[in-house]
Amino acid sequence: MKLHERIEGRLREFVDRQPMFFVATAPLAADGHVNLSPRGVPGTFGVLDDHTFAWLDATGSGSETIAHLRENGRITIMFCAFDGPPNIVRLHGTGRVVTRYDDGYAALAARFTDVPGARAVVVVDVDRVSDSCGWGVPLMAYEGERDLMGPYFERKGEAGQQEYRRTKNLTSIDGLRAFDDDPAPARQ
């Protein structure tokens, strides 16, 4: 393993080439559940500068990452080479959630491809950058993207997306506050 001062040069080029990455977070409670999530919607993630990484976070079946970041901010991002030379890059840092209702969301979201169901931009202030050999990561062929999430949330429309988040994203599996930012539905 080698430590680096910043995300630059070959490390940044490696990160920019990857079709997916993994996000790891955990609550403060020792008996809480550690979360590990894959991310990989094209055009929705990238290095913003030598010490900042971000991604456009789409609505999903849970919101563990958001809950953990709101509680303690700890996060690790990991990229693996599944083709070409073996390599693993880890970005350790502190993350924050900028929801679609927050000031600054539009400017951050504009850096990425818009996707139906986008709920936030997660910004990671990176304080540790490392890479290691990746010899244990298998070689795998990339076949393409799954075109499921975008059409699903597009069909739901804005009101349906909000209802989905109110139903599935309010708290983490450990009961922590997660994505509770959507406005309450209008009374009729």
Side-chain angles (χ1 to χ4, degrees):
M1 180 189 61
K2 183 176 179 185
L3 293 177
H4 303 270
E5 292 292 319
R6 58 190 49 85
I7 314 163
E8 65 179 355
R10 72 172 181 80
L11 292 178
R12 186 168 185 161
E13 291 168 10
F14 174 78
V15 166
D16 288 343
R17 281 194 316 270
Q18 302 314 302
M20 69 175 294
F21 63 99
F22 299 89
V23 177
T25 59
L28 291 176
D31 62 347
H33 293 83
V34 174
N35 183 57
L36 179 61
S37 297
R39 301 277 192 257
V41 176
T44 63
F45 60 91
V47 176
L48 302 186
D49 63 41
D50 290 353
H51 293 282
T52 312
F53 178 80
W55 76 89
L56 184 69
D57 188 58
T59 300
S61 58
S63 53
E64 300 305 299
T65 300
I66 290 173
H68 295 161
L69 292 179
R70 285 182 163 171
E71 185 198 39
N72 62 60
R74 297 178 305 163
I75 189 166
T76 300
I77 307 296
M78 184 180 75
F79 294 88
C80 300
F82 295 110
D83 62 0
N87 195 20
I88 297 171
V89 172
R90 289 181 182 88
L91 309 175
H92 299 262
T94 304
R96 58 189 164 89
V97 179
V98 182
T99 78
R100 60 184 303 108
Y101 307 108
D102 293 334
D103 291 338
Y105 173 81
L108 284 166
R111 299 177 76 123
F112 304 107
T113 301
D114 188 30
V115 295
R119 63 184 173 192
V121 174
V122 176
V123 180
V124 180
D125 298 316
V126 177
D127 58 32
R128 185 178 190 273
V129 179
S130 68
D131 74 330
S132 55
C133 68
W135 291 352
V137 176
L139 289 170
M140 294 191 286
Y142 173 76
E143 291 187 31
E145 300 301 320
R146 298 178 194 267
D147 189 25
L148 300 169
M149 188 168 54
Y152 176 80
F153 283 109
E154 194 169 284
R155 284 190 307 272
K156 285 193 162 298
E158 185 60 34
Q161 292 170 29
Q162 290 178 359
E163 181 58 28
Y164 182 97
R165 289 189 293 265
R166 281 192 291 272
T167 303
K168 298 183 181 281
N169 293 170
L170 287 179
T171 60
S172 73
I173 58 177
D174 296 317
L176 297 173
R177 171 185 177 233
F179 195 88
D180 59 357
D181 302 274
D182 288 306
R187 292 187 170 188
Q188 297 182 359

